[in-house]
Amino acid sequence: MASYSIRFTRSAAKELERVPTKDCRRIVTRIGTLADNPRPVGAEKLSGDDKYRIRQGDYRILYEIVDEELIVTVVRIGHRREVYRR
C-alpha cells in the first residue's frame, strides 16, 4: 500500500504552534501515522463534512483525505472544547 503525503493548512500549522511542547510532540507523532493509515481505529467521519477526526489526549485533529492523490490535509488542531466551533 502506498504512503499518503501529509499537508497542513496555514491555520492548522499556526494552531499547532500554540499547543504546549509536550502535547505537540504527541500530536505530530499521531499525524505522522496517518501517512500509513489515514483511517485508523478511532477515527470518525464528521457528519455534514468530508473530514475525519482523531483524538490525541485533550486535542482533536481534523483532516481531509484525497484518496486519488494519496494526500491527507490537516485542517484544524485544537483543544476538544474549542476545535468544533466556527
Side-chain angles (χ1 to χ4, degrees), residues 46 59 83:
L46 299 179
Y59 289 87
V83 76

Side-chain angles (χ1 to χ4, degrees), residues 28-71:
V28 169
T29 301
R30 181 74 181 209
I31 291 171
T33 64
L34 294 175
D36 295 326
N37 182 9
R39 294 175 185 89
V41 174
E44 289 190 24
K45 187 169 185 330
L46 299 179
S47 61
D49 264 340
D50 287 335
K51 295 178 185 157
Y52 290 83
R53 180 221 58 191
I54 56 174
R55 302 187 304 182
Q56 179 56 54
D58 286 339
Y59 289 87
R60 304 297 180 258
I61 304 160
L62 304 181
Y63 61 98
E64 298 173 334
I65 303 170
V66 181
D67 287 315
E68 298 80 27
E69 299 175 22
L70 298 178
I71 297 173

